[in-house]
PDB file of all heavy atoms in Angstrom:
ATOM      1  N   GLY G   1      19.918  -7.387   0.657  1.00 97.00           N
ATOM      2  CA  GLY G   1      19.262  -7.941  -0.477  1.00 97.00           C
ATOM      3  C   GLY G   1      17.868  -7.363  -0.809  1.00 97.00           C
ATOM      4  O   GLY G   1      17.164  -7.946  -1.673  1.00 97.00           O
ATOM      5  N   LYS G   2      17.479  -6.331  -0.053  1.00 97.00           N
ATOM      6  CA  LYS G   2      16.131  -5.700  -0.275  1.00 97.00           C
ATOM      7  C   LYS G   2      16.200  -4.800  -1.522  1.00 97.00           C
ATOM      8  O   LYS G   2      17.149  -4.076  -1.709  1.00 97.00           O
ATOM      9  CB  LYS G   2      15.718  -4.902   0.926  1.00 97.00           C
ATOM     10  CG  LYS G   2      15.639  -5.706   2.215  1.00 97.00           C
ATOM     11  CD  LYS G   2      14.534  -6.729   2.182  1.00 97.00           C
ATOM     12  CE  LYS G   2      14.496  -7.581   3.429  1.00 97.00           C
ATOM     13  NZ  LYS G   2      14.245  -6.780   4.655  1.00 97.00           N
ATOM     14  N   THR G   3      15.196  -4.918  -2.348  1.00 97.00           N
ATOM     15  CA  THR G   3      15.203  -4.180  -3.635  1.00 97.00           C
ATOM     16  C   THR G   3      14.350  -2.899  -3.482  1.00 97.00           C
ATOM     17  O   THR G   3      13.542  -2.729  -2.582  1.00 97.00           O
ATOM     18  CB  THR G   3      14.558  -5.041  -4.740  1.00 97.00           C
ATOM     19  OG1 THR G   3      13.230  -5.307  -4.437  1.00 97.00           O
ATOM     20  CG2 THR G   3      15.343  -6.342  -4.876  1.00 97.00           C
ATOM     21  N   ALA G   4      14.469  -2.035  -4.510  1.00 97.00           N
ATOM     22  CA  ALA G   4      13.670  -0.853  -4.518  1.00 97.00           C
ATOM     23  C   ALA G   4      12.168  -1.170  -4.656  1.00 97.00           C
ATOM     24  O   ALA G   4      11.367  -0.449  -4.092  1.00 97.00           O
ATOM     25  CB  ALA G   4      14.089   0.070  -5.704  1.00 97.00           C
ATOM     26  N   GLU G   5      11.921  -2.250  -5.296  1.00 97.00           N
ATOM     27  CA  GLU G   5      10.507  -2.703  -5.429  1.00 97.00           C
ATOM     28  C   GLU G   5       9.936  -3.138  -4.127  1.00 97.00           C
ATOM     29  O   GLU G   5       8.790  -2.866  -3.829  1.00 97.00           O
ATOM     30  CB  GLU G   5      10.409  -3.900  -6.430  1.00 97.00           C
ATOM     31  CG  GLU G   5      10.643  -3.556  -7.899  1.00 97.00           C
ATOM     32  CD  GLU G   5      12.094  -3.249  -8.190  1.00 97.00           C
ATOM     33  OE1 GLU G   5      13.006  -3.663  -7.435  1.00 97.00           O
ATOM     34  OE2 GLU G   5      12.392  -2.621  -9.230  1.00 97.00           O
ATOM     35  N   GLU G   6      10.744  -3.752  -3.257  1.00 98.00           N
ATOM     36  CA  GLU G   6      10.284  -4.088  -1.945  1.00 98.00           C
ATOM     37  C   GLU G   6      10.051  -2.871  -1.088  1.00 98.00           C
ATOM     38  O   GLU G   6       9.063  -2.834  -0.263  1.00 98.00           O
ATOM     39  CB  GLU G   6      11.268  -5.039  -1.310  1.00 98.00           C
ATOM     40  CG  GLU G   6      11.289  -6.460  -1.857  1.00 98.00           C
ATOM     41  CD  GLU G   6      12.391  -7.281  -1.262  1.00 98.00           C
ATOM     42  OE1 GLU G   6      13.577  -7.157  -1.627  1.00 98.00           O
ATOM     43  OE2 GLU G   6      12.059  -8.134  -0.429  1.00 98.00           O
ATOM     44  N   ILE G   7      10.872  -1.872  -1.195  1.00 98.00           N
ATOM     45  CA  ILE G   7      10.644  -0.603  -0.469  1.00 98.00           C
ATOM     46  C   ILE G   7       9.343   0.010  -0.950  1.00 98.00           C
ATOM     47  O   ILE G   7       8.592   0.545  -0.130  1.00 98.00           O
ATOM     48  CB  ILE G   7      11.869   0.354  -0.691  1.00 98.00           C
ATOM     49  CG1 ILE G   7      13.184  -0.287  -0.156  1.00 98.00           C
ATOM     50  CG2 ILE G   7      11.608   1.662  -0.045  1.00 98.00           C
ATOM     51  CD1 ILE G   7      14.418   0.486  -0.560  1.00 98.00           C
ATOM     52  N   ALA G   8       9.149   0.063  -2.265  1.00 98.00           N
ATOM     53  CA  ALA G   8       7.899   0.549  -2.778  1.00 98.00           C
ATOM     54  C   ALA G   8       6.633  -0.150  -2.255  1.00 98.00           C
ATOM     55  O   ALA G   8       5.675   0.489  -1.888  1.00 98.00           O
ATOM     56  CB  ALA G   8       7.910   0.480  -4.322  1.00 98.00           C
ATOM     57  N   GLU G   9       6.745  -1.458  -2.097  1.00 97.00           N
ATOM     58  CA  GLU G   9       5.646  -2.244  -1.551  1.00 97.00           C
ATOM     59  C   GLU G   9       5.350  -1.832  -0.084  1.00 97.00           C
ATOM     60  O   GLU G   9       4.247  -1.731   0.339  1.00 97.00           O
ATOM     61  CB  GLU G   9       5.921  -3.741  -1.655  1.00 97.00           C
ATOM     62  CG  GLU G   9       5.742  -4.288  -3.071  1.00 97.00           C
ATOM     63  CD  GLU G   9       4.341  -4.119  -3.565  1.00 97.00           C
ATOM     64  OE1 GLU G   9       3.376  -4.434  -2.831  1.00 97.00           O
ATOM     65  OE2 GLU G   9       4.214  -3.717  -4.719  1.00 97.00           O
ATOM     66  N   CYS G  10       6.439  -1.628   0.627  1.00 98.00           N
ATOM     67  CA  CYS G  10       6.335  -1.171   2.076  1.00 98.00           C
ATOM     68  C   CYS G  10       5.645   0.169   2.107  1.00 98.00           C
ATOM     69  O   CYS G  10       4.728   0.381   2.994  1.00 98.00           O
ATOM     70  CB  CYS G  10       7.697  -1.115   2.700  1.00 98.00           C
ATOM     71  SG  CYS G  10       7.762  -0.442   4.349  1.00 98.00           S
ATOM     72  N   LEU G  11       5.980   1.081   1.210  1.00 98.00           N
ATOM     73  CA  LEU G  11       5.413   2.399   1.214  1.00 98.00           C
ATOM     74  C   LEU G  11       3.898   2.429   0.963  1.00 98.00           C
ATOM     75  O   LEU G  11       3.186   3.307   1.343  1.00 98.00           O
ATOM     76  CB  LEU G  11       6.104   3.273   0.181  1.00 98.00           C
ATOM     77  CG  LEU G  11       7.547   3.650   0.581  1.00 98.00           C
ATOM     78  CD1 LEU G  11       8.301   4.188  -0.639  1.00 98.00           C
ATOM     79  CD2 LEU G  11       7.525   4.722   1.715  1.00 98.00           C
ATOM     80  N   LYS G  12       3.435   1.394   0.216  1.00 96.00           N
ATOM     81  CA  LYS G  12       1.960   1.346  -0.147  1.00 96.00           C
ATOM     82  C   LYS G  12       1.104   1.205   1.118  1.00 96.00           C
ATOM     83  O   LYS G  12      -0.084   1.504   1.061  1.00 96.00           O
ATOM     84  CB  LYS G  12       1.700   0.177  -1.045  1.00 96.00           C
ATOM     85  CG  LYS G  12       2.258   0.354  -2.474  1.00 96.00           C
ATOM     86  CD  LYS G  12       1.956  -0.895  -3.289  1.00 96.00           C
ATOM     87  CE  LYS G  12       2.502  -0.724  -4.711  1.00 96.00           C
ATOM     88  NZ  LYS G  12       2.226  -1.943  -5.571  1.00 96.00           N
ATOM     89  N   LYS G  13       1.677   0.726   2.241  1.00 95.00           N
ATOM     90  CA  LYS G  13       0.977   0.556   3.434  1.00 95.00           C
ATOM     91  C   LYS G  13       0.960   1.789   4.350  1.00 95.00           C
ATOM     92  O   LYS G  13       0.339   1.823   5.426  1.00 95.00           O
ATOM     93  CB  LYS G  13       1.546  -0.577   4.214  1.00 95.00           C
ATOM     94  CG  LYS G  13       1.538  -1.907   3.473  1.00 95.00           C
ATOM     95  CD  LYS G  13       2.277  -3.038   4.207  1.00 95.00           C
ATOM     96  CE  LYS G  13       2.442  -4.288   3.410  1.00 95.00           C
ATOM     97  NZ  LYS G  13       3.222  -5.288   4.122  1.00 95.00           N
ATOM     98  N   THR G  14       1.648   2.887   3.893  1.00 96.00           N
ATOM     99  CA  THR G  14       1.695   4.079   4.714  1.00 96.00           C
ATOM    100  C   THR G  14       0.272   4.685   4.836  1.00 96.00           C
ATOM    101  O   THR G  14      -0.407   4.834   3.836  1.00 96.00           O
ATOM    102  CB  THR G  14       2.618   5.145   3.976  1.00 96.00           C
ATOM    103  OG1 THR G  14       3.865   4.487   3.716  1.00 96.00           O
ATOM    104  CG2 THR G  14       2.801   6.337   4.863  1.00 96.00           C
ATOM    105  N   PRO G  15      -0.131   5.079   6.057  1.00 94.00           N
ATOM    106  CA  PRO G  15      -1.496   5.557   6.236  1.00 94.00           C
ATOM    107  C   PRO G  15      -1.723   6.909   5.583  1.00 94.00           C
ATOM    108  O   PRO G  15      -0.911   7.840   5.777  1.00 94.00           O
ATOM    109  CB  PRO G  15      -1.643   5.622   7.735  1.00 94.00           C
ATOM    110  CG  PRO G  15      -0.266   5.732   8.244  1.00 94.00           C
ATOM    111  CD  PRO G  15       0.604   4.944   7.340  1.00 94.00           C
ATOM    112  N   LEU G  16      -2.861   6.981   4.827  1.00 97.00           N
ATOM    113  CA  LEU G  16      -3.211   8.280   4.233  1.00 97.00           C
ATOM    114  C   LEU G  16      -4.734   8.333   4.393  1.00 97.00           C
ATOM    115  O   LEU G  16      -5.506   7.522   3.937  1.00 97.00           O
ATOM    116  CB  LEU G  16      -2.892   8.270   2.719  1.00 97.00           C
ATOM    117  CG  LEU G  16      -2.981   9.650   2.013  1.00 97.00           C
ATOM    118  CD1 LEU G  16      -2.104   9.700   0.834  1.00 97.00           C
ATOM    119  CD2 LEU G  16      -4.430   9.968   1.624  1.00 97.00           C
ATOM    120  N   ASP G  17      -5.210   9.390   5.117  1.00 98.00           N
ATOM    121  CA  ASP G  17      -6.565   9.550   5.390  1.00 98.00           C
ATOM    122  C   ASP G  17      -7.344   9.782   4.097  1.00 98.00           C
ATOM    123  O   ASP G  17      -7.079  10.604   3.307  1.00 98.00           O
ATOM    124  CB  ASP G  17      -6.731  10.864   6.302  1.00 98.00           C
ATOM    125  CG  ASP G  17      -8.146  10.955   6.881  1.00 98.00           C
ATOM    126  OD1 ASP G  17      -9.167  10.842   6.166  1.00 98.00           O
ATOM    127  OD2 ASP G  17      -8.225  11.198   8.109  1.00 98.00           O
ATOM    128  N   PRO G  18      -8.446   8.970   3.921  1.00 98.00           N
ATOM    129  CA  PRO G  18      -9.231   9.088   2.716  1.00 98.00           C
ATOM    130  C   PRO G  18      -9.848  10.465   2.516  1.00 98.00           C
ATOM    131  O   PRO G  18     -10.149  10.921   1.410  1.00 98.00           O
ATOM    132  CB  PRO G  18     -10.332   8.015   2.848  1.00 98.00           C
ATOM    133  CG  PRO G  18     -10.310   7.653   4.283  1.00 98.00           C
ATOM    134  CD  PRO G  18      -8.950   7.888   4.812  1.00 98.00           C
ATOM    135  N   ARG G  19     -10.130  11.207   3.601  1.00 98.00           N
ATOM    136  CA  ARG G  19     -10.659  12.572   3.477  1.00 98.00           C
ATOM    137  C   ARG G  19      -9.636  13.528   2.874  1.00 98.00           C
ATOM    138  O   ARG G  19      -9.988  14.466   2.196  1.00 98.00           O
ATOM    139  CB  ARG G  19     -11.198  13.060   4.818  1.00 98.00           C
ATOM    140  CG  ARG G  19     -12.286  12.264   5.437  1.00 98.00           C
ATOM    141  CD  ARG G  19     -13.551  12.261   4.584  1.00 98.00           C
ATOM    142  NE  ARG G  19     -14.143  13.579   4.532  1.00 98.00           N
ATOM    143  CZ  ARG G  19     -15.088  14.028   5.442  1.00 98.00           C
ATOM    144  NH1 ARG G  19     -15.504  13.172   6.402  1.00 98.00           N
ATOM    145  NH2 ARG G  19     -15.637  15.176   5.322  1.00 98.00           N
ATOM    146  N   ILE G  20      -8.349  13.292   3.238  1.00 98.00           N
ATOM    147  CA  ILE G  20      -7.259  14.132   2.637  1.00 98.00           C
ATOM    148  C   ILE G  20      -7.149  13.794   1.127  1.00 98.00           C
ATOM    149  O   ILE G  20      -6.977  14.691   0.323  1.00 98.00           O
ATOM    150  CB  ILE G  20      -5.992  13.963   3.398  1.00 98.00           C
ATOM    151  CG1 ILE G  20      -6.165  14.522   4.806  1.00 98.00           C
ATOM    152  CG2 ILE G  20      -4.787  14.605   2.643  1.00 98.00           C
ATOM    153  CD1 ILE G  20      -4.871  14.362   5.696  1.00 98.00           C
ATOM    154  N   ALA G  21      -7.194  12.499   0.837  1.00 98.00           N
ATOM    155  CA  ALA G  21      -7.148  12.121  -0.569  1.00 98.00           C
ATOM    156  C   ALA G  21      -8.307  12.774  -1.353  1.00 98.00           C
ATOM    157  O   ALA G  21      -8.138  13.249  -2.421  1.00 98.00           O
ATOM    158  CB  ALA G  21      -7.220  10.612  -0.694  1.00 98.00           C
ATOM    159  N   ALA G  22      -9.489  12.800  -0.763  1.00 98.00           N
ATOM    160  CA  ALA G  22     -10.682  13.401  -1.399  1.00 98.00           C
ATOM    161  C   ALA G  22     -10.466  14.892  -1.549  1.00 98.00           C
ATOM    162  O   ALA G  22     -10.866  15.497  -2.565  1.00 98.00           O
ATOM    163  CB  ALA G  22     -11.911  13.090  -0.561  1.00 98.00           C
ATOM    164  N   ALA G  23      -9.879  15.556  -0.554  1.00 98.00           N
ATOM    165  CA  ALA G  23      -9.628  16.979  -0.608  1.00 98.00           C
ATOM    166  C   ALA G  23      -8.697  17.295  -1.769  1.00 98.00           C
ATOM    167  O   ALA G  23      -8.898  18.293  -2.467  1.00 98.00           O
ATOM    168  CB  ALA G  23      -9.101  17.463   0.762  1.00 98.00           C
ATOM    169  N   ILE G  24      -7.652  16.491  -1.918  1.00 98.00           N
ATOM    170  CA  ILE G  24      -6.662  16.694  -2.981  1.00 98.00           C
ATOM    171  C   ILE G  24      -7.350  16.599  -4.324  1.00 98.00           C
ATOM    172  O   ILE G  24      -7.188  17.434  -5.227  1.00 98.00           O
ATOM    173  CB  ILE G  24      -5.471  15.692  -2.846  1.00 98.00           C
ATOM    174  CG1 ILE G  24      -4.654  16.030  -1.616  1.00 98.00           C
ATOM    175  CG2 ILE G  24      -4.618  15.748  -4.112  1.00 98.00           C
ATOM    176  CD1 ILE G  24      -3.693  14.963  -1.261  1.00 98.00           C
ATOM    177  N   LYS G  25      -8.168  15.562  -4.493  1.00 98.00           N
ATOM    178  CA  LYS G  25      -8.782  15.331  -5.781  1.00 98.00           C
ATOM    179  C   LYS G  25      -9.792  16.437  -6.092  1.00 98.00           C
ATOM    180  O   LYS G  25      -9.920  16.899  -7.202  1.00 98.00           O
ATOM    181  CB  LYS G  25      -9.477  13.969  -5.795  1.00 98.00           C
ATOM    182  CG  LYS G  25      -8.508  12.854  -5.826  1.00 98.00           C
ATOM    183  CD  LYS G  25      -9.204  11.481  -5.846  1.00 98.00           C
ATOM    184  CE  LYS G  25      -8.188  10.329  -5.864  1.00 98.00           C
ATOM    185  NZ  LYS G  25      -8.811   8.989  -5.780  1.00 98.00           N
ATOM    186  N   SER G  26     -10.553  16.919  -5.068  1.00 98.00           N
ATOM    187  CA  SER G  26     -11.490  17.999  -5.219  1.00 98.00           C
ATOM    188  C   SER G  26     -10.754  19.272  -5.653  1.00 98.00           C
ATOM    189  O   SER G  26     -11.201  20.019  -6.532  1.00 98.00           O
ATOM    190  CB  SER G  26     -12.282  18.227  -3.997  1.00 98.00           C
ATOM    191  OG  SER G  26     -13.101  17.085  -3.658  1.00 98.00           O
ATOM    192  N   ALA G  27      -9.702  19.627  -4.928  1.00 98.00           N
ATOM    193  CA  ALA G  27      -8.930  20.802  -5.261  1.00 98.00           C
ATOM    194  C   ALA G  27      -8.386  20.803  -6.644  1.00 98.00           C
ATOM    195  O   ALA G  27      -8.401  21.774  -7.336  1.00 98.00           O
ATOM    196  CB  ALA G  27      -7.856  21.034  -4.224  1.00 98.00           C
ATOM    197  N   TYR G  28      -7.919  19.656  -7.020  1.00 98.00           N
ATOM    198  CA  TYR G  28      -7.405  19.507  -8.393  1.00 98.00           C
ATOM    199  C   TYR G  28      -8.483  19.630  -9.442  1.00 98.00           C
ATOM    200  O   TYR G  28      -8.364  20.297 -10.454  1.00 98.00           O
ATOM    201  CB  TYR G  28      -6.790  18.096  -8.540  1.00 98.00           C
ATOM    202  CG  TYR G  28      -6.337  17.779  -9.962  1.00 98.00           C
ATOM    203  CD1 TYR G  28      -5.238  18.377 -10.503  1.00 98.00           C
ATOM    204  CD2 TYR G  28      -7.024  16.817 -10.687  1.00 98.00           C
ATOM    205  CE1 TYR G  28      -4.805  18.024 -11.825  1.00 98.00           C
ATOM    206  CE2 TYR G  28      -6.616  16.477 -12.015  1.00 98.00           C
ATOM    207  CZ  TYR G  28      -5.497  17.152 -12.516  1.00 98.00           C
ATOM    208  OH  TYR G  28      -5.095  16.783 -13.829  1.00 98.00           O
ATOM    209  N   GLU G  29      -9.682  19.065  -9.195  1.00 97.00           N
ATOM    210  CA  GLU G  29     -10.774  19.095 -10.087  1.00 97.00           C
ATOM    211  C   GLU G  29     -11.287  20.529 -10.213  1.00 97.00           C
ATOM    212  O   GLU G  29     -11.850  20.959 -11.272  1.00 97.00           O
ATOM    213  CB  GLU G  29     -11.852  18.169  -9.721  1.00 97.00           C
ATOM    214  CG  GLU G  29     -11.501  16.684  -9.955  1.00 97.00           C
ATOM    215  CD  GLU G  29     -12.417  15.691  -9.237  1.00 97.00           C
ATOM    216  OE1 GLU G  29     -13.411  16.214  -8.596  1.00 97.00           O
ATOM    217  OE2 GLU G  29     -12.262  14.503  -9.374  1.00 97.00           O
ATOM    218  N   LEU G  30     -11.158  21.285  -9.108  1.00 96.00           N
ATOM    219  CA  LEU G  30     -11.613  22.729  -9.169  1.00 96.00           C
ATOM    220  C   LEU G  30     -10.635  23.585  -9.870  1.00 96.00           C
ATOM    221  O   LEU G  30     -10.850  24.775 -10.083  1.00 96.00           O
ATOM    222  CB  LEU G  30     -11.765  23.244  -7.755  1.00 96.00           C
ATOM    223  CG  LEU G  30     -13.033  22.673  -7.026  1.00 96.00           C
ATOM    224  CD1 LEU G  30     -12.898  22.998  -5.515  1.00 96.00           C
ATOM    225  CD2 LEU G  30     -14.284  23.216  -7.542  1.00 96.00           C
ATOM    226  N   GLY G  31      -9.464  23.039 -10.301  1.00 95.00           N
ATOM    227  CA  GLY G  31      -8.502  23.844 -11.097  1.00 95.00           C
ATOM    228  C   GLY G  31      -7.402  24.473 -10.296  1.00 95.00           C
ATOM    229  O   GLY G  31      -6.625  25.279 -10.909  1.00 95.00           O
ATOM    230  N   CYS G  32      -7.228  24.106  -9.093  1.00 96.00           N
ATOM    231  CA  CYS G  32      -6.100  24.611  -8.320  1.00 96.00           C
ATOM    232  C   CYS G  32      -4.774  24.047  -8.739  1.00 96.00           C
ATOM    233  O   CYS G  32      -4.708  22.912  -9.236  1.00 96.00           O
ATOM    234  CB  CYS G  32      -6.280  24.339  -6.795  1.00 96.00           C
ATOM    235  SG  CYS G  32      -7.723  25.109  -6.039  1.00 96.00           S
ATOM    236  N   ASP G  33      -3.746  24.782  -8.581  1.00 96.00           N
ATOM    237  CA  ASP G  33      -2.328  24.321  -8.887  1.00 96.00           C
ATOM    238  C   ASP G  33      -1.846  23.743  -7.602  1.00 96.00           C
ATOM    239  O   ASP G  33      -1.517  24.527  -6.625  1.00 96.00           O
ATOM    240  CB  ASP G  33      -1.500  25.522  -9.346  1.00 96.00           C
ATOM    241  CG  ASP G  33      -0.079  25.112  -9.624  1.00 96.00           C
ATOM    242  OD1 ASP G  33       0.262  23.899  -9.482  1.00 96.00           O
ATOM    243  OD2 ASP G  33       0.774  25.976  -9.966  1.00 96.00           O
ATOM    244  N   LEU G  34      -1.645  22.439  -7.531  1.00 98.00           N
ATOM    245  CA  LEU G  34      -1.181  21.745  -6.320  1.00 98.00           C
ATOM    246  C   LEU G  34       0.301  21.444  -6.395  1.00 98.00           C
ATOM    247  O   LEU G  34       0.720  20.911  -7.393  1.00 98.00           O
ATOM    248  CB  LEU G  34      -2.021  20.486  -6.114  1.00 98.00           C
ATOM    249  CG  LEU G  34      -3.527  20.517  -6.101  1.00 98.00           C
ATOM    250  CD1 LEU G  34      -4.132  19.206  -5.799  1.00 98.00           C
ATOM    251  CD2 LEU G  34      -4.031  21.646  -5.143  1.00 98.00           C
ATOM    252  N   ARG G  35       0.973  21.745  -5.322  1.00 97.00           N
ATOM    253  CA  ARG G  35       2.377  21.493  -5.185  1.00 97.00           C
ATOM    254  C   ARG G  35       2.701  20.776  -3.907  1.00 97.00           C
ATOM    255  O   ARG G  35       1.917  20.843  -2.922  1.00 97.00           O
ATOM    256  CB  ARG G  35       3.211  22.794  -5.234  1.00 97.00           C
ATOM    257  CG  ARG G  35       2.801  23.843  -6.261  1.00 97.00           C
ATOM    258  CD  ARG G  35       3.409  23.545  -7.573  1.00 97.00           C
ATOM    259  NE  ARG G  35       3.038  24.619  -8.563  1.00 97.00           N
ATOM    260  CZ  ARG G  35       3.967  25.486  -8.997  1.00 97.00           C
ATOM    261  NH1 ARG G  35       5.207  25.472  -8.572  1.00 97.00           N
ATOM    262  NH2 ARG G  35       3.611  26.416  -9.916  1.00 97.00           N
ATOM    263  N   ILE G  36       3.866  20.076  -3.795  1.00 98.00           N
ATOM    264  CA  ILE G  36       4.318  19.525  -2.598  1.00 98.00           C
ATOM    265  C   ILE G  36       5.721  20.072  -2.310  1.00 98.00           C
ATOM    266  O   ILE G  36       6.566  20.096  -3.225  1.00 98.00           O
ATOM    267  CB  ILE G  36       4.397  17.955  -2.655  1.00 98.00           C
ATOM    268  CG1 ILE G  36       2.996  17.389  -2.666  1.00 98.00           C
ATOM    269  CG2 ILE G  36       5.209  17.425  -1.493  1.00 98.00           C
ATOM    270  CD1 ILE G  36       2.957  15.871  -2.869  1.00 98.00           C
ATOM    271  N   VAL G  37       5.944  20.532  -1.084  1.00 98.00           N
ATOM    272  CA  VAL G  37       7.295  20.927  -0.608  1.00 98.00           C
ATOM    273  C   VAL G  37       7.605  20.085   0.634  1.00 98.00           C
ATOM    274  O   VAL G  37       6.961  20.259   1.675  1.00 98.00           O
ATOM    275  CB  VAL G  37       7.360  22.405  -0.307  1.00 98.00           C
ATOM    276  CG1 VAL G  37       8.746  22.799   0.089  1.00 98.00           C
ATOM    277  CG2 VAL G  37       6.916  23.262  -1.508  1.00 98.00           C
ATOM    278  N   SER G  38       8.546  19.174   0.537  1.00 97.00           N
ATOM    279  CA  SER G  38       8.733  18.167   1.569  1.00 97.00           C
ATOM    280  C   SER G  38      10.177  17.836   1.788  1.00 97.00           C
ATOM    281  O   SER G  38      11.001  17.766   0.830  1.00 97.00           O
ATOM    282  CB  SER G  38       7.939  16.886   1.260  1.00 97.00           C
ATOM    283  OG  SER G  38       8.311  15.887   2.124  1.00 97.00           O
ATOM    284  N   ASP G  39      10.519  17.549   3.074  1.00 96.00           N
ATOM    285  CA  ASP G  39      11.875  17.066   3.403  1.00 96.00           C
ATOM    286  C   ASP G  39      11.892  15.537   3.479  1.00 96.00           C
ATOM    287  O   ASP G  39      12.771  14.984   4.101  1.00 96.00           O
ATOM    288  CB  ASP G  39      12.299  17.639   4.741  1.00 96.00           C
ATOM    289  CG  ASP G  39      13.842  17.578   4.924  1.00 96.00           C
ATOM    290  OD1 ASP G  39      14.539  17.253   3.937  1.00 96.00           O
ATOM    291  OD2 ASP G  39      14.325  17.909   6.010  1.00 96.00           O
ATOM    292  N   ALA G  40      10.967  14.907   2.811  1.00 97.00           N
ATOM    293  CA  ALA G  40      10.986  13.448   2.626  1.00 97.00           C
ATOM    294  C   ALA G  40      11.916  13.151   1.442  1.00 97.00           C
ATOM    295  O   ALA G  40      13.004  13.685   1.381  1.00 97.00           O
ATOM    296  CB  ALA G  40       9.563  12.927   2.423  1.00 97.00           C
ATOM    297  N   ASN G  41      11.468  12.381   0.464  1.00 97.00           N
ATOM    298  CA  ASN G  41      12.234  12.219  -0.762  1.00 97.00           C
ATOM    299  C   ASN G  41      11.352  11.834  -1.911  1.00 97.00           C
ATOM    300  O   ASN G  41      10.225  11.371  -1.734  1.00 97.00           O
ATOM    301  CB  ASN G  41      13.401  11.206  -0.498  1.00 97.00           C
ATOM    302  CG  ASN G  41      12.939   9.793  -0.330  1.00 97.00           C
ATOM    303  OD1 ASN G  41      12.500   9.165  -1.231  1.00 97.00           O
ATOM    304  ND2 ASN G  41      13.000   9.378   0.968  1.00 97.00           N
ATOM    305  N   GLN G  42      11.937  11.962  -3.126  1.00 98.00           N
ATOM    306  CA  GLN G  42      11.148  11.773  -4.314  1.00 98.00           C
ATOM    307  C   GLN G  42      10.596  10.425  -4.417  1.00 98.00           C
ATOM    308  O   GLN G  42       9.426  10.200  -4.750  1.00 98.00           O
ATOM    309  CB  GLN G  42      12.062  12.059  -5.529  1.00 98.00           C
ATOM    310  CG  GLN G  42      11.460  11.866  -6.912  1.00 98.00           C
ATOM    311  CD  GLN G  42      12.488  11.981  -8.023  1.00 98.00           C
ATOM    312  OE1 GLN G  42      13.628  12.289  -7.751  1.00 98.00           O
ATOM    313  NE2 GLN G  42      12.114  11.689  -9.211  1.00 98.00           N
ATOM    314  N   PHE G  43      11.429   9.354  -4.168  1.00 98.00           N
ATOM    315  CA  PHE G  43      10.921   7.984  -4.351  1.00 98.00           C
ATOM    316  C   PHE G  43       9.769   7.695  -3.421  1.00 98.00           C
ATOM    317  O   PHE G  43       8.723   7.158  -3.823  1.00 98.00           O
ATOM    318  CB  PHE G  43      12.097   7.015  -4.038  1.00 98.00           C
ATOM    319  CG  PHE G  43      11.795   5.588  -4.325  1.00 98.00           C
ATOM    320  CD1 PHE G  43      11.963   4.968  -5.559  1.00 98.00           C
ATOM    321  CD2 PHE G  43      11.281   4.800  -3.247  1.00 98.00           C
ATOM    322  CE1 PHE G  43      11.672   3.713  -5.852  1.00 98.00           C
ATOM    323  CE2 PHE G  43      11.010   3.431  -3.574  1.00 98.00           C
ATOM    324  CZ  PHE G  43      11.203   2.860  -4.794  1.00 98.00           C
TER     325      PHE G  43
END
């Protein structure tokens, strides 16, 4: 009975280093083309 919305809520707690988030935003603001290639999944 678990919904996709509940899975999404669980994913919000996944750890992401704020320095990596800052690096991504800086690289984007500098005009780099950023891509992800991953064996995780789209959702």
